[in-house]
Protein backbone atom coordinates (compact mmCIF):
# COMPACT_ATOMS: atom_id res chain seq x y z
CA UNK A 1 0.00 0.00 0.00
CA UNK A 2 1.03 3.57 -0.68
CA UNK A 3 0.73 5.52 2.58
CA UNK A 4 0.65 9.27 3.21
CA UNK A 5 4.16 8.89 4.70
CA UNK A 6 5.29 7.23 1.47
CA UNK A 7 3.93 10.16 -0.58
CA UNK A 8 5.59 12.73 1.68
CA UNK A 9 8.91 10.82 1.46
CA UNK A 10 8.61 10.57 -2.31
CA UNK A 11 8.18 14.35 -2.66
CA UNK A 12 11.04 14.98 -0.18
CA UNK A 13 13.38 12.65 -2.08
CA UNK A 14 12.43 14.35 -5.35
CA UNK A 15 13.24 17.71 -3.73
CA UNK A 16 16.64 16.50 -2.60
CA UNK A 17 17.44 15.02 -6.04
CA UNK A 18 16.46 18.31 -7.70
CA UNK A 19 18.64 20.19 -5.21
CA UNK A 20 21.60 17.87 -5.89
CA UNK A 21 21.12 18.33 -9.66
CA UNK A 22 20.48 22.09 -9.54
CA UNK A 23 23.61 23.01 -11.53
CA UNK A 24 23.14 20.21 -14.05
CA UNK A 25 19.49 21.18 -14.71
CA UNK A 26 20.53 24.81 -15.20
CA UNK A 27 23.31 23.73 -17.58
CA UNK A 28 20.89 21.62 -19.64
CA UNK A 29 18.51 24.60 -19.80
CA UNK A 30 21.40 26.91 -20.76
CA UNK A 31 21.91 24.85 -23.93
CA UNK A 32 18.31 25.11 -25.24
CA UNK A 33 16.55 27.61 -22.94
CA UNK A 34 17.41 30.26 -20.37
CA UNK A 35 19.47 28.38 -17.76
CA UNK A 36 16.93 28.59 -14.93
CA UNK A 37 15.28 25.15 -14.75
CA UNK A 38 17.34 23.98 -11.74
CA UNK A 39 16.86 27.34 -10.00
CA UNK A 40 13.08 27.30 -10.63
CA UNK A 41 12.62 23.80 -9.22
CA UNK A 42 14.99 24.20 -6.28
CA UNK A 43 13.27 27.41 -5.19
CA UNK A 44 9.84 25.75 -5.23
CA UNK A 45 10.76 22.42 -3.71
CA UNK A 46 12.70 24.05 -0.86
CA UNK A 47 9.35 25.58 0.19
CA UNK A 48 7.47 22.31 -0.47
CA UNK A 49 9.94 20.38 1.69
CA UNK A 50 9.69 22.91 4.52
CA UNK A 51 5.88 22.64 4.41
CA UNK A 52 6.13 18.83 4.58
CA UNK A 53 7.38 19.02 8.17
CA UNK A 54 3.65 19.17 9.02
CA UNK A 55 2.01 17.25 6.15
CA UNK A 56 -1.78 16.90 5.76
CA UNK A 57 -3.11 13.52 6.86
CA UNK A 58 -5.06 12.72 3.69
CA UNK A 59 -3.14 11.59 0.57
CA UNK A 60 -5.14 13.82 -1.79
CA UNK A 61 -4.78 16.85 0.47
CA UNK A 62 -1.03 16.35 0.73
CA UNK A 63 -0.57 16.13 -3.05
CA UNK A 64 -2.91 19.08 -3.66
CA UNK A 65 -0.96 21.19 -1.16
CA UNK A 66 2.27 20.24 -2.96
CA UNK A 67 0.70 21.23 -6.30
CA UNK A 68 -0.45 24.61 -4.97
CA UNK A 69 3.00 25.44 -3.63
CA UNK A 70 4.67 24.29 -6.86
CA UNK A 71 2.33 26.50 -8.95
CA UNK A 72 3.00 29.54 -6.79
CA UNK A 73 6.75 29.11 -6.08
CA UNK A 74 8.46 27.28 -8.95
CA UNK A 75 7.82 29.79 -11.74
CA UNK A 76 8.84 29.46 -15.40
CA UNK A 77 6.99 27.08 -17.68
CA UNK A 78 7.79 24.19 -15.35
CA UNK A 79 5.91 25.63 -12.32
CA UNK A 80 2.37 25.47 -13.75
CA UNK A 81 3.17 22.17 -15.50
CA UNK A 82 4.59 20.30 -12.49
CA UNK A 83 1.94 22.04 -10.38
CA UNK A 84 -0.86 20.68 -12.59
CA UNK A 85 0.74 17.25 -12.36
CA UNK A 86 0.52 17.21 -8.55
CA UNK A 87 -2.91 18.89 -8.43
CA UNK A 88 -4.43 16.33 -10.82
CA UNK A 89 -2.64 13.47 -9.05
CA UNK A 90 -4.09 14.74 -5.75
CA UNK A 91 -7.59 14.94 -7.24
CA UNK A 92 -7.32 11.42 -8.62
CA UNK A 93 -6.12 9.73 -5.41
CA UNK A 94 -8.50 11.75 -3.21
CA UNK A 95 -8.58 10.59 0.37
CA UNK A 96 -8.07 6.95 -0.42
CA UNK A 97 -6.03 5.41 2.40
CA UNK A 98 -6.08 2.03 0.67
CA UNK A 99 -4.08 3.35 -2.23
CA UNK A 100 -2.40 0.47 -4.05
CA UNK A 101 0.16 0.77 -6.81
CA UNK A 102 -2.43 0.37 -9.60
CA UNK A 103 -4.50 3.29 -8.27
CA UNK A 104 -1.37 5.33 -7.68
CA UNK A 105 -0.31 4.72 -11.30
CA UNK A 106 -3.80 5.74 -12.49
CA UNK A 107 -3.28 8.93 -10.45
CA UNK A 108 0.07 9.54 -12.17
CA UNK A 109 -1.73 9.19 -15.51
CA UNK A 110 -4.26 11.80 -14.37
CA UNK A 111 -1.29 14.00 -13.44
CA UNK A 112 0.13 13.57 -16.93
CA UNK A 113 -3.28 14.49 -18.39
CA UNK A 114 -3.06 17.68 -16.29
CA UNK A 115 0.33 18.49 -17.85
CA UNK A 116 -1.18 17.98 -21.32
CA UNK A 117 -4.27 20.07 -20.47
CA UNK A 118 -1.99 22.92 -19.43
CA UNK A 119 0.75 22.75 -22.07
CA UNK A 120 -0.72 20.54 -24.84
CA UNK A 121 2.51 18.60 -25.33
CA UNK A 122 2.35 15.41 -27.35
CA UNK A 123 4.73 12.46 -27.43
CA UNK A 124 7.97 13.44 -29.15
CA UNK A 125 7.69 17.22 -28.58
CA UNK A 126 10.87 17.07 -26.41
CA UNK A 127 9.30 17.96 -23.07
CA UNK A 128 8.75 16.50 -19.60
CA UNK A 129 5.94 14.45 -21.23
CA UNK A 130 8.57 12.31 -22.95
CA UNK A 131 9.93 11.06 -19.59
CA UNK A 132 6.60 10.93 -17.72
CA UNK A 133 4.60 8.91 -20.26
CA UNK A 134 7.11 6.04 -20.67
CA UNK A 135 7.69 6.04 -16.90
CA UNK A 136 3.96 5.54 -16.28
CA UNK A 137 3.70 2.94 -19.07
CA UNK A 138 6.58 0.99 -17.48
CA UNK A 139 4.93 1.16 -14.02
CA UNK A 140 1.70 -0.14 -15.54
CA UNK A 141 3.41 -2.99 -17.36
CA UNK A 142 5.39 -4.05 -14.27
CA UNK A 143 2.27 -3.88 -12.05
CA UNK A 144 0.31 -5.98 -14.60
CA UNK A 145 3.15 -8.53 -14.55
CA UNK A 146 2.75 -8.63 -10.74
CA UNK A 147 6.28 -7.62 -9.87
CA UNK A 148 6.89 -6.60 -6.24
CA UNK A 149 6.77 -2.92 -5.34
CA UNK A 150 10.55 -2.42 -5.62
CA UNK A 151 10.53 -4.12 -9.04
CA UNK A 152 7.62 -1.96 -10.20
CA UNK A 153 9.34 1.28 -9.14
CA UNK A 154 12.66 0.25 -10.67
CA UNK A 155 10.85 -0.47 -13.94
CA UNK A 156 9.16 2.95 -13.79
CA UNK A 157 12.49 4.69 -13.22
CA UNK A 158 14.11 2.78 -16.10
CA UNK A 159 11.19 3.68 -18.42
CA UNK A 160 11.35 7.38 -17.52
CA UNK A 161 15.14 7.44 -17.91
CA UNK A 162 14.99 5.86 -21.39
CA UNK A 163 12.33 8.41 -22.36
CA UNK A 164 14.53 11.21 -21.02
CA UNK A 165 17.56 9.94 -22.96
CA UNK A 166 15.53 9.71 -26.17
CA UNK A 167 14.82 13.48 -26.00
CA UNK A 168 18.41 14.13 -27.19
CA UNK A 169 17.47 13.28 -30.79
CA UNK A 170 14.13 15.12 -30.75
CA UNK A 171 13.33 18.54 -32.18
CA UNK A 172 11.60 20.74 -29.59
CA UNK A 173 8.02 21.69 -30.47
CA UNK A 174 6.96 23.25 -27.16
CA UNK A 175 8.35 25.85 -24.81
CA UNK A 176 11.44 28.01 -25.13
CA UNK A 177 13.56 25.29 -26.78
CA UNK A 178 11.14 25.27 -29.76
CA UNK A 179 12.42 28.76 -30.73
CA UNK A 180 15.72 27.06 -31.65
CA UNK A 181 14.16 24.76 -34.27
CA UNK A 182 16.78 22.30 -35.62
CA UNK A 183 19.37 23.65 -33.16
CA UNK A 184 17.42 22.03 -30.31
CA UNK A 185 18.41 18.58 -31.66
CA UNK A 186 21.37 16.97 -29.90
CA UNK A 187 20.53 18.19 -26.39
CA UNK A 188 18.83 16.48 -23.47
CA UNK A 189 15.60 18.23 -22.47
CA UNK A 190 15.89 19.74 -18.96
CA UNK A 191 12.21 19.16 -18.08
CA UNK A 192 12.40 15.51 -19.16
CA UNK A 193 15.50 15.20 -16.97
CA UNK A 194 13.77 16.57 -13.86
CA UNK A 195 10.59 14.59 -14.63
CA UNK A 196 12.64 11.38 -14.73
CA UNK A 197 13.79 12.22 -11.17
CA UNK A 198 10.14 11.91 -10.05
CA UNK A 199 10.36 8.23 -10.98
CA UNK A 200 13.90 7.77 -9.69
CA UNK A 201 12.64 9.09 -6.34
CA UNK A 202 10.13 6.21 -6.02
CA UNK A 203 12.42 3.19 -5.46
CA UNK A 204 14.58 5.07 -2.97
CA UNK A 205 11.75 5.62 -0.51
P1 LIG B 1 11.10 28.22 -18.81
O1 LIG B 1 11.13 27.56 -20.16
O2 LIG B 1 9.94 29.15 -18.64
O3 LIG B 1 12.41 28.85 -18.46
P2 LIG B 1 11.83 25.94 -17.21
O4 LIG B 1 13.21 26.19 -17.69
O5 LIG B 1 11.68 25.82 -15.73
O6 LIG B 1 10.82 27.04 -17.75
O7 LIG B 1 11.27 24.57 -17.83
C1 LIG B 1 11.58 24.18 -19.14
C2 LIG B 1 11.02 22.79 -19.39
O8 LIG B 1 9.60 22.84 -19.36
C3 LIG B 1 11.37 22.22 -20.74
O9 LIG B 1 12.62 21.55 -20.71
C4 LIG B 1 10.22 21.26 -21.05
O10 LIG B 1 10.49 19.94 -20.60
C5 LIG B 1 9.09 21.82 -20.21
N1 LIG B 1 8.05 22.40 -21.05
C6 LIG B 1 8.04 23.60 -21.66
N2 LIG B 1 6.88 23.79 -22.31
C7 LIG B 1 6.14 22.67 -22.12
C8 LIG B 1 4.82 22.24 -22.53
N3 LIG B 1 4.04 23.03 -23.27
N4 LIG B 1 4.39 21.02 -22.11
C9 LIG B 1 5.18 20.22 -21.35
N5 LIG B 1 6.42 20.57 -20.93
C10 LIG B 1 6.88 21.77 -21.31
MG1 LIG C 1 14.18 27.85 -18.36
Amino acid sequence: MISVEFLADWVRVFGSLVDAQHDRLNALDAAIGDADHGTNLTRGFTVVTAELTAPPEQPGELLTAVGQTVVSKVGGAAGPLFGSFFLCLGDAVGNDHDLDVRRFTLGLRAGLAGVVARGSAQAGDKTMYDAMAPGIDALDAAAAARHDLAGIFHAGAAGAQSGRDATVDLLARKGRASYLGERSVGHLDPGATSAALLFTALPIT
Side-chain angles (χ1 to χ4, degrees), residues 29 33-37 40 76-77 176:
D29 197 26
D34 58 355
D36 66 355
H37 188 57
N40 288 339
R176 243 174 242 286

Side-chain angles (χ1 to χ4, degrees), residues 29 32-38 40-41 74-79 81 115-116 118-121 126-129 174-177 189-192:
D29 197 26
I32 56 170
D34 58 355
D36 66 355
H37 188 57
N40 288 339
L41 283 177
V74 171
L81 292 161
V115 171
V116 172
R118 166 131 327 240
S120 52
K126 196 180 180 99
T127 70
M128 60 179 68
Y129 180 102
K174 286 284 180 301
R176 243 174 242 286
D189 179 61

Side-chain angles (χ1 to χ4, degrees), residues 8-138:
D9 278 345
W10 173 47
V11 175
R12 280 190 204 103
V13 172
F14 176 66
S16 65
L17 291 175
V18 159
D19 194 46
Q21 300 218 16
H22 168 273
D23 291 351
R24 172 170 162 69
L25 293 171
N26 276 348
L28 292 172
D29 197 26
I32 56 170
D34 58 355
D36 66 355
H37 188 57
T39 303
N40 288 339
L41 283 177
T42 303
R43 182 178 54 232
F45 277 88
T46 300
V47 181
V48 167
T49 302
E51 288 174 354
L52 283 176
T53 51
E57 287 173 15
Q58 307 292 343
E61 280 172 34
L62 181 142
L63 293 163
T64 301
V66 169
Q68 285 166 345
T69 304
V70 168
V71 167
S72 67
K73 303 290 181 197
V74 171
L81 292 161
F82 273 109
S84 294
F85 174 81
F86 281 106
L87 289 171
C88 293
L89 170 59
D91 256 5
V93 307
N95 293 331
D96 184 0
H97 278 272
D98 299 321
L99 192 62
D100 63 11
V101 71
R102 299 301 293 271
R103 289 179 51 84
F104 177 64
T105 304
L106 276 175
L108 294 177
R109 215 173 270 292
L112 178 62
V115 171
V116 172
R118 166 131 327 240
S120 52
Q122 298 179 354
D125 281 350
K126 196 180 180 99
T127 70
M128 60 179 68
Y129 180 102
D130 293 311
M132 286 178 173
I136 296 167
D137 289 345

